[in-house]
Amino acid sequence: ARHLSEPLQQGPGAQNPLVHVASMLAKLDPNSPLLVQCRRTLCCLLSTSERFLLQSVLASLHKLSASPMILSPHCQGLMQMPTGDGMTAGEKLLDILSSDKMKPEYRQLAAEVVLNLCQTEDSRMLIVSLEGIKLLLGMVQNCSENLLVVTIRILERLVHYDSRQALHQDAVRQTRTLGGINVVLNMLNRFNDATLDAIDTCRLQVLMAGCGLLGELAFDDDNSAHIGQLNGV
């Protein structure tokens, strides 16, 4: 993992060997044990500045996170694994998905990896502790439609109702305190301005995701009253 912050110095036309390996991993079957075995290396390589390597690493993590193996004991704590620049994988993924300097496809991949990882409580807890709700609510106001759908779905997963979990209550409280209900309602109003015939599939997904998020938030009595006061019903 040496020199991950700089592109490798190679002759014209040469391919970074790490890019070759990572691209091969991205082509593996989602249930390949090799993806699990390479999880620490993939997390470490999230810090690379070489765009082709980063794309392959994100694609490999996307494949792993979308497979049933992500729920296995071997993959527990994946978001807390270190990257090559001293961050954790969770911090780096949030950094990538929120960065305007990143290519849209990289941001999309990172967001979908986070969404998949948020199936587990430890991953949701980490995202909340990293002020992920504040970051995601900021993205709701200015990101592309495709990325917006995934962003809202991450928020929905973070606030998913479970009366037994203190994490749920903390995430809901943070969302309300940060003005999340207003943000989501404003977003829904913005996308609902189009006539029904003019709403394309992506916009429809945004509206459905936004309504799903409000539905989860409304399980809290204070949120439900706040939604009513804002004519959200």
Side-chain angles (χ1 to χ4, degrees):
R2 291 183 60 193
H3 310 304
L4 294 180
S5 60
E6 300 177 359
L8 296 185
Q9 299 298 318
Q10 303 177 71
Q15 184 186 43
N16 183 337
L18 288 174
V19 176
H20 179 66
V21 172
S23 64
M24 290 183 64
L25 287 173
K27 296 174 184 176
L28 289 173
D29 182 275
N31 296 313
S32 171
L34 192 57
L35 283 171
V36 176
Q37 294 169 20
C38 294
R39 66 195 184 282
R40 293 185 183 276
T41 301
L42 289 170
C43 289
C44 187
L45 290 172
L46 280 171
S47 60
T48 183
S49 61
E50 186 154 342
R51 64 185 187 278
F52 295 119
L53 177 56
L54 180 59
Q55 182 179 30
S56 295
V57 168
L58 288 170
S60 299
L61 285 172
H62 186 277
K63 187 162 285 190
L64 174 60
S65 68
S67 77
M69 292 189 300
I70 199 62
L71 300 176
S72 70
H74 298 292
C75 291
Q76 287 183 1
L78 189 144
M79 275 199 173
Q80 296 177 320
M81 292 179 183
T83 61
D85 56 359
M87 300 175 75
T88 64
E91 290 173 314
K92 199 67 183 180
L93 286 167
L94 286 177
D95 185 53
I96 292 170
L97 71 88
S98 63
S99 174
D100 292 332
K101 297 179 181 178
M102 284 287 175
K103 296 179 69 173
E105 53 265 41
Y106 296 3
R107 297 180 69 187
Q108 186 76 23
L109 276 171
E112 291 179 8
V113 170
V114 171
L115 176 63
N116 292 335
L117 292 175
C118 280
Q119 295 177 76
T120 63
E121 183 180 356
D122 64 325
S123 292
R124 295 193 297 272
M125 188 177 300
L126 182 63
I127 294 298
V128 172
S129 70
L130 292 173
E131 298 188 345
I133 290 178
K134 180 178 180 180
L135 180 148
L136 293 165
L137 286 173
M139 289 178 58
V140 168
Q141 302 177 71
N142 58 24
C143 66
S144 67
E145 292 180 7
N146 286 326
L147 185 56
L148 179 56
V149 174
V150 185
T151 300
I152 297 171
R153 290 180 64 200
I154 295 172
L155 284 166
E156 181 182 359
R157 191 157 282 181
L158 292 176
V159 302
H160 178 69
Y161 179 72
D162 189 336
S163 59
R164 298 166 299 176
Q165 292 185 4
L167 170 64
H168 154 77
Q169 297 168 3
D170 185 34
V172 168
R173 183 167 53 251
Q174 281 192 41
T175 303
R176 181 175 62 247
T177 303
L178 292 167
I181 293 174
N182 302 61
V183 169
V184 176
L185 286 173
N186 288 338
M187 181 273 297
L188 288 173
N189 286 331
R190 189 170 76 249
F191 277 85
N192 201 36
D193 283 343
T195 62
L196 195 58
D197 292 337
I199 297 179
D200 57 25
T201 302
C202 187
R203 282 178 171 248
L204 184 58
Q205 289 179 343
V206 169
L207 292 170
M208 291 172 64
C211 290
L213 175 54
L214 280 181
E216 290 292 344
L217 290 169
F219 277 107
D220 178 88
D221 290 341
D222 290 337
N223 284 347
S224 181
H226 189 48
I227 292 170
Q229 290 168 2
L230 295 172
N231 295 320
V233 177

